Amino acid sequence: MSMMKPTRKLLFVLCPMLVLGFIYYSAGKLHLHMWGQKTQPVEEAILTVGRAVYDKQGFLLKLDGKLPQDLFYKYGNMSKGTCKPGYASAKMASIYPKFAKLAPMFLDQNFRRLGKIRDYLPPFGIKTQEKLIADILAATKNYGLSPHLDSLSCKRCIIVGNGGVLANKSLGSRIDDYHVVVRLNGAPVSGFEKDVGSKTTMRITYPEGAFQKLQLYEKDSLFVLSAFKPHDFKWLLQMVFKEKPRGMEGFWKSIALYVPREASDMRILNPYFIQEAAFQFIGLPLNNGLMGKGNIPTLGTVAITMALHNCDEVAVAGFGYDMNDPHSALHYYETVKMAAIKESWTHNISKEKEFLRKLVKAKVITDLTYGI
Ligand SMILES: *[C@@H]1O[C@H](CO)[C@@H](O)[C@H](O)[C@H]1NC(C)=O
Ligand SMILES: *[C@@H]1O[C@H](CO)[C@@H](O)[C@H](O)[C@H]1NC(C)=O
Ligand SMILES: *[C@@H]1O[C@H](CO)[C@@H](O)[C@H](O)[C@H]1NC(C)=O
């Protein structure tokens, strides 16, 4: 007995040390201060690192626009208005340490090697669509923005949403100053240039959202598919080869039957941005990796996610709805009022807004219209 006691004591000390050591090891240099505090509500802080506290999604709980010391050395003395190389992803990583800048904007011929999207069906990946995608990419032959934009050492991007908050603010020339102007679905430019600008680097869309009036397509822009369903890849293949789609099954409303752009101006948005926005940034239900109730991010948030990975600075305009004012305009280009917005089955607007607010609060992105 007298021999057992010290051994048992040793075991009692050793076991927790091994466990803690393992946690320490697996969490990198994490300090789990709050280990054992069982009263912590799940929705709130679950982990502290040093003195920092993180929320359930892995975002710093106390956000502000200040630069951490390493970024302050890098950007602090740059003159105002200078493009800051790597700023958006570095600031993102400072509030969300899991962020890794690894996802290319568009699929290219190496798409089968992108491990994160290989095992998911659309919209979160490419599984079952590999052949169609390969055929599309063989025809488009181009997988970047443009030689000029791809060569810039610092790119500023703006995602222009379709919100009524854009109306009558005369932001057009400020929007046109960005290197990359991203527009979504059928948000028009013609007739609204004063407020929304006239430059379109790319328009991201899907079959039901694409312009059906041919004159609305901008000449010098990329036509980018964000695929939400398997049918969407087949549709893009038809658009690439100028074949008229037969039948509408698989689509939830009428679709564009012809896209007046050359194959070389068409791209496939990397589906990783849908997956990352849904499951990592916003925290929507995984649903076994399948599309389900409230687990699809809106196209605007998908575009912001793309920009965090591929742009040095990111801004948005025309995002956010004024839910408190049923008489305010829903879109900048039509007279539909806020009151017309319906509860969505696919999206979770309120959870998504929580995520976007974090980005704005921490100055990862700049919101030109203050709607988020
Ligand atoms: C900012 O200041 C640091 C040290 O004071 C200097 O090394 C760096 O070159 C400066 N950067 C710019 C862009 O002026
Ligand atoms: C913008 O201004 C015009 C002209 O004053 C007005 O008719 C229109 O309703 C305004 N749009 C919005 C969305 O406020
Ligand atoms: C959105 O998320 C909240 C919190 O997780 C949940 O209560 C709500 O039911 C979700 N809404 C939809 C439309 O899925």
Side-chain angles (χ1 to χ4, degrees):
M1 281 298 270
S2 59
M3 283 298 285
M4 283 298 286
K5 246 183 175 171
T7 322
R8 207 186 280 168
K9 245 185 206 163
L10 189 65
L11 276 177
F12 263 101
V13 176
L14 216 60
C15 279
M17 274 178 68
L18 280 174
V19 170
L20 284 175
F22 176 72
I23 291 167
Y24 185 86
Y25 166 74
S26 54
K29 285 175 195 146
L30 302 188
H31 248 225
L32 297 169
H33 278 193
M34 287 153 82
W35 193 253
Q37 284 184 10
K38 294 207 180 77
T39 50
Q40 203 65 24
V42 188
E43 284 292 333
E44 284 186 17
I46 54 158
L47 182 64
T48 62
V49 179
R51 277 194 315 269
V53 184
Y54 292 83
D55 68 14
K56 199 172 67 174
Q57 271 341 107
F59 285 90
L60 207 57
L61 208 57
K62 288 215 177 70
L63 297 171
D64 59 45
K66 286 191 212 122
L67 291 170
Q69 202 169 37
D70 52 334
L71 298 190
F72 182 77
Y73 280 124
K74 197 162 172 199
Y75 302 120
N77 56 358
M78 285 177 73
S79 55
K80 208 168 181 297
T82 312
C83 183
K84 299 191 271 300
Y87 171 81
S89 58
K91 191 70 174 78
M92 180 68 173
S94 77
I95 63 159
Y96 181 81
K98 281 185 279 182
F99 188 74
K101 191 171 179 281
L102 45 69
M105 204 178 256
F106 307 125
L107 295 188
D108 63 27
Q109 290 190 303
N110 293 320
F111 72 96
R112 287 174 214 264
R113 285 188 219 146
L114 298 171
K116 307 231 182 218
I117 57 173
R118 204 164 39 200
D119 299 327
Y120 284 87
L121 292 165
F124 305 113
I126 56 163
K127 199 172 168 183
T128 69
Q129 302 302 303
E130 295 87 348
K131 173 78 174 65
L132 276 175
I133 292 171
D135 290 347
I136 292 166
L137 296 179
T140 67
K141 295 189 180 69
N142 289 272
Y143 317 107
L145 280 172
S146 70
H148 167 65
L149 289 173
D150 291 335
S151 74
L152 294 178
S153 57
C154 193
K155 271 195 295 292
R156 288 190 155 130
C157 305
I158 185 161
I159 321 295
V160 184
N162 59 15
V165 286
L166 253 181
N168 298 337
K169 294 213 168 73
S170 302
L171 285 172
S173 61
R174 269 186 79 189
I175 290 172
D176 283 342
D177 278 344
Y178 284 79
H179 301 108
V180 174
V181 179
V182 180
R183 299 184 196 273
L184 310 170
N185 282 334
V189 164
S190 176
F192 300 91
E193 291 87 347
K194 189 162 180 288
D195 288 329
V196 308
S198 53
K199 176 161 140 188
T200 305
T201 312
M202 74 175 88
R203 191 173 277 279
I204 307 179
T205 189
Y206 42 82
E208 297 90 344
F211 284 137
Q212 298 188 15
K213 285 186 187 146
L214 301 188
Q215 69 270 24
L216 291 177
Y217 284 85
E218 298 93 358
K219 253 199 262 111
D220 300 311
S221 69
L222 294 176
F223 181 84
V224 179
L225 171 72
S226 179
F228 285 91
K229 316 176 287 311
H231 272 82
D232 295 353
F233 289 108
K234 187 172 173 204
W235 174 81
L236 184 63
L237 187 72
Q238 289 165 327
M239 296 304 106
V240 162
F241 287 102
K242 312 283 178 223
E243 290 167 6
K244 197 169 172 197
R246 287 179 302 271
M248 297 295 154
E249 75 266 32
F251 299 107
W252 47 271
K253 62 174 204 176
S254 71
I255 56 170
L257 300 176
Y258 179 81
V259 171
R261 312 291 294 126
E262 292 303 316
S264 56
D265 295 327
M266 296 188 183
R267 302 284 185 275
I268 301 172
L269 192 72
N270 186 346
Y272 179 64
F273 306 125
I274 299 180
Q275 186 189 128
E276 185 181 44
F279 304 141
Q280 300 195 43
F281 294 167
I282 313 176
L284 299 176
L286 183 59
N287 192 39
N288 290 319
L290 300 174
M291 180 187 271
K293 183 178 183 295
N295 80 347
I296 309 298
T298 60
L299 194 54
T301 292
V302 173
I304 291 172
T305 303
M306 173 276 279
L308 292 179
H309 282 276
N310 290 283
C311 302
D312 298 277
E313 291 181 17
V314 180
V316 301
F319 273 68
Y321 302 118
D322 187 359
M323 294 287 193
N324 297 320
D325 180 4
H327 303 294
S328 61
L330 185 57
H331 297 146
Y332 67 78
Y333 49 89
E334 54 188 16
T335 52
V336 177
K337 301 289 183 205
M338 276 310 300
I341 197 169
K342 293 188 197 79
E343 184 66 34
S344 168
W345 189 84
T346 42
H347 305 309
N348 194 327
I349 301 296
S350 57
K351 280 202 80 144
E352 196 166 312
K353 195 157 181 167
E354 280 174 31
F355 159 61
L356 296 179
R357 284 216 168 111
K358 293 176 198 172
L359 297 187
V360 172
K361 201 166 171 208
K363 295 197 173 146
V364 174
I365 65 175
T366 307
D367 179 10
L368 297 192
T369 42
Y370 309 104
I372 290 176

